[in-house]
Amino acid sequence: MARIALESVDKVYAGGVKAVDGLDLEIADGEFMVLVGPSGCGKSTALRMIAGLEEISGGTVSIGERVVNDLAPKDRDIAMVFQNYALYPHMTVEQNLAFGLKLRGVSKEDRRKKVLEAAKMLGLEQFLDRKPAALSGGQRQRVAMGRAIVRQPQAFLMDEPLSNLDAKLRVSMRASLSQLHASLGVTTVYVTHDQVEAMTLGTRVCVLREGKLQQVDTPQRLFDHP
Ligand code: ADP
Ligand code: ADP
């Protein structure tokens, strides 16, 4: 677990689009911060700069005590889940969940233990032997989340992870995500354009507009004083 801090962060894309403009944001240890705003406001760009998937044009991004501007994603100790599940199709659920641990040299016994823990948390125990093609969309997204959290990263980043799911599944997945966060307490940054999702999930919500921070507060206070 770690705090994440953005100080005067800018992103200017080739061609001159200023996608993120002087963003200051401090995300506390264990917080669930939602970045919300209309399409094109810079949410995804901000998240990708935290993840190390996008070069930072100005300012600093810190995770824990370290400035991570020039660190590769693998050296930032973060995990990310995207809207497209990006599971390995030829592997079973168990192998998908264990893969990151295997890469890091975790023993077979410890892998099994951690995978079972994550599977239990996400209600995937009965699907461990299945391949992704034999799962529903919601189950696949649970596997993607399980794969992200199983190695206990310092921060968990999600970019519109529920937007490919139907409305009913989105609601049940929100509940699962809240439970997952409550039991792990991992610092989480979550991007969505859906205001209800933002208000339901966030311990705080950051509203972006044209690359700038417009408001950041608890859902309750944003609701009372929009
Ligand atoms: P959001 O996630 O809020 O929809 P994005 O961060 O994807 O917003 O985009 C912010 C702005 O940056 C938009 O104007 C978008 O067109 C632009 N943008 C995003 N990615 C690129 C890119 N790779 N090259 C150029 N412009 C981009
Ligand atoms: P691990 O289990 O070790 O996190 P992954 O295979 O999930 O490994 O991801 C490896 C790297 O690829 C990570 O840095 C992750 O952010 C990135 N990554 C994973 N899926 C995608 C995707 N769909 N698009 C872009 N980058 C991705």
Side-chain angles (χ1 to χ4, degrees):
M1 259 209 295
R3 86 191 245 283
I4 298 173
L6 284 75
E7 285 175 73
S8 309
V9 170
D10 295 322
K11 176 66 188 185
V12 185
Y13 281 111
V17 177
K18 196 154 198 184
V20 172
D21 189 355
L23 182 59
D24 286 308
L25 185 64
E26 180 153 341
I27 302 161
D29 227 18
E31 188 164 29
F32 195 127
M33 175 69 81
V34 179
L35 308 183
V36 70
S39 177
C41 72
K43 311 179 289 292
S44 193
T45 300
L47 192 77
R48 291 170 61 81
M49 286 193 283
I50 298 170
L53 299 171
E54 202 72 71
E55 203 179 314
I56 298 165
S57 308
T60 58
V61 173
S62 313
I63 300 178
E65 295 309 309
R66 294 194 304 173
V67 172
V68 298
N69 284 43
D70 302 321
L71 279 187
K74 68 175 172 54
D75 298 318
R76 294 184 181 204
D77 196 16
I78 49 103
M80 187 143 172
V81 168
F82 303 86
Q83 160 176 356
N84 54 333
Y85 318 112
L87 301 178
Y88 303 109
H90 57 291
M91 294 184 191
T92 64
V93 168
E94 176 162 8
Q95 289 164 337
N96 265 284
L97 290 172
F99 189 69
L101 297 172
K102 199 171 174 184
L103 284 184
R104 287 172 180 79
V106 175
S107 74
K108 196 169 175 180
E109 196 181 329
D110 282 352
R111 287 204 301 268
R112 176 90 191 155
K113 198 172 136 224
K114 289 189 165 153
V115 163
L116 285 180
E117 253 170 40
K120 202 168 170 187
M121 240 180 253
L122 288 156
L124 290 168
E125 293 144 295
Q126 64 272 49
F127 305 116
L128 286 171
D129 294 329
R130 287 202 199 171
K131 300 248 172 88
L135 299 175
S136 71
Q139 290 161 349
R140 279 180 217 164
Q141 196 54 302
R142 285 172 199 270
V143 178
M145 286 169 186
R147 199 177 60 178
I149 53 123
V150 75
R151 63 179 170 79
Q152 295 166 304
Q154 285 198 81
F156 185 21
L157 311 180
M158 288 178 270
D159 193 348
E160 303 265 6
L162 308 187
S163 57
N164 275 346
L165 306 177
D166 65 46
K168 200 172 152 208
L169 253 179
R170 273 207 302 277
V171 171
S172 69
M173 285 297 288
R174 275 182 210 150
S176 301
L177 268 172
S178 293
Q179 279 167 14
L180 190 67
H181 180 255
S183 52
L184 294 172
V186 63
T187 310
T188 301
V189 191
Y190 186 100
V191 162
T192 182
H193 65 275
D194 182 332
Q195 292 192 25
V196 175
E197 200 161 290
M199 299 295 238
T200 316
L201 283 172
T203 50
R204 278 195 305 157
V205 175
C206 168
V207 185
L208 293 176
R209 193 175 191 104
E210 294 177 1
K212 293 194 167 94
L213 189 151
Q214 198 173 43
Q215 275 178 300
V216 57
D217 216 329
T218 60
Q220 190 58 51
R221 280 199 295 254
L222 283 174
F223 189 75
D224 290 343
H225 310 280

